[in-house]
Amino acid sequence: MENFVYEYPTKVYFGKGAAGQHLPGILADYGPNVLLAYGGGSIKRNGVYEELTGILQAAGKTVTEFAGIMSNPTWAKVQEGARLARERKIDLILAVGGGSVVDCCKIVAAQAVTDEDLWDLEMVRHKMPAKAPIPLGAVVTASGTGAEMNGGAVITNEEVKIKGGMFAAAPRFAVLDPAYTLTLPRMQVLSGAFDTLSHAMETYFGRSDRDNVSDEVAEAVMRSTVTNMRTLLKDINDYTARSNLMWTSAMAENGILKVGRLTDFECHQIEHQLGAYTDCNHGQGLAVIHPAYYRHIYKSAVPKFARFARNVWGIDPAGKTEEEAAQAGILALEAFILECGLPTKLSQLRSRAEITPALLRQVADSCNLLPNGYKQLTRDEVYDILMECL
Ligand code: NZQ
Ligand code: ZN
């Protein structure tokens, strides 16, 4: 294994009724001023807003609302939240939503305590914020990203056309009530769950030794994610499957799978940069890119892809060369994406710009190239992968 330091910053409260049961006690530990952050309004339609504002009022908190956090949150939205948090002397930020709300609030929490521009600090000068952020808690209403259990945040800077990963405040606590996810649109449920599968795959296919305990845990997370997604294909409201997926989502991004190993995450880099140009849905973008990406890299890691086929997709290696087994695993992944009704071509993504070869060239030329996958990609290879997805 690689050397590692592992620490768990987030306390998790999981289960039906978790907010009502635990939030009153949690809130007692924080000052009076709470920033209640949320997205485009789903929480007002499904009763979560009413429940949480009731709990906050009963706890005697002064609530400032920070609403309208969009999917793929922008740097401008972070600055809006930071201004509010500063003006209202916020003691606790409560982020209620999916990955977008939680991510936006992570950076708001750090940006509010400094005059320094954190984009410039982190993305240009590659330094970390020095001051402790405002405490942050997450109430998850859409699972998949695992954002609630890590300090990473993905923010789109529209001015420079970069969707990039930043690091700031990890939530101190996370309330995970699977019942809160029941009003999610079907496609978001499935694309969120595919994001979870992608996180486990991206970690698993990092360049590392083959007998790492984290890989065995990753296989279990991948199998469970696939099994529970298949249950949802039959009954999208199955609570047990929703609760399992809520936990595999957290497991895939809480650092457990990354312990003692290097990770890939190149597919995420490509998707994020595609998102900067198109504003596409994250999980759907990943579903399109993953098979093409793996067809390009598997020859550099045939034994690992054959193991993926066997241990995740149950493919019998008998009568197959190792390379044939590896290819069968990628085909199984592709078939599963189709089975879920997720997009398989870029033209199926909702995009704010027409997806043309010229746009894909810009995506390839601006996307991060990471060093720890089995194959180091060039920009031309990223372009070829994207063109294969057209
Ligand atoms: O804005 P509202 O009205 O709340 O609607 C949202 C949004 O339209 C809706 N929604 C959420 N909960 C709902 C609900 N609708 C009905 N009922 C509910 N209970 O769902 C839509 C999508 O929400 P969003 O938060 O954008 O989705 P997701 O959780 O997939 O987050 C995506 C963002 O997370 C980043 C992605 O890049 C993207 O920006 N990621 C963050 C990661 C991290 N911090 O660890 C890792 C991931 O790889 C990912 O990159
Ligand atoms: Zn992701």
Side-chain angles (χ1 to χ4, degrees), residues 145 195 198-199 268 272 282 286:
T145 66
D195 188 21
S198 168
H199 296 152
H268 264 69
H272 284 161
H282 175 59
L286 291 169

Side-chain angles (χ1 to χ4, degrees), residues 156-339:
T156 301
N157 187 325
E158 292 177 302
E159 238 170 71
V160 293
K161 269 204 158 36
I162 297 281
K163 181 172 176 183
M166 302 177 71
F167 287 87
R172 293 200 182 175
F173 63 88
V175 175
L176 272 62
D177 182 342
Y180 279 7
T181 71
L182 288 174
T183 52
L184 259 183
R186 179 188 173 90
M187 190 43 79
Q188 182 61 39
V189 174
L190 295 169
S191 65
F194 188 81
D195 188 21
T196 298
L197 181 63
S198 168
H199 296 152
M201 293 191 296
E202 296 262 46
T203 308
Y204 187 75
F205 288 114
R207 187 164 47 77
S208 229
D209 60 280
R210 289 182 62 191
D211 298 317
N212 186 307
V213 63
S214 299
D215 283 353
E216 310 235 0
V217 184
E219 286 169 357
V221 168
M222 289 188 269
R223 280 195 304 273
S224 178
T225 302
V226 169
T227 301
N228 285 293
M229 284 176 78
R230 285 197 163 124
T231 304
L232 290 187
L233 293 178
K234 292 194 206 95
D235 176 7
I236 196 73
N237 293 321
D238 187 294
Y239 178 84
T240 305
R242 290 291 187 105
S243 56
N244 275 302
L245 286 170
M246 199 162 206
W247 189 239
T248 57
S249 162
M251 279 290 290
E253 270 302 312
N254 65 10
I256 288 273
L257 306 188
K258 297 173 190 174
V259 163
R261 68 185 327 296
L262 302 169
T263 67
D264 181 2
F265 277 87
E266 188 58 48
C267 193
H268 264 69
Q269 302 308 309
I270 301 172
E271 194 288 328
H272 284 161
Q273 212 33 30
L274 181 70
Y277 280 82
T278 65
D279 199 28
C280 67
N281 175 283
H282 175 59
Q284 293 187 16
L286 291 169
V288 173
I289 299 166
H290 258 294
Y293 174 59
Y294 285 158
R295 279 194 296 274
H296 274 255
I297 69 162
Y298 84 91
K299 284 196 174 151
S300 305
V302 167
K304 193 64 179 282
F305 274 91
R307 175 178 162 178
F308 172 68
R310 196 170 60 246
N311 293 350
V312 177
W313 301 103
I315 287 163
D316 184 357
K320 293 185 182 66
T321 63
E322 215 173 30
E323 178 154 359
E324 285 165 350
Q327 289 167 341
I330 300 170
L331 285 174
L333 171 65
E334 223 167 353
F336 179 65
I337 291 166
L338 270 175
E339 180 187 340

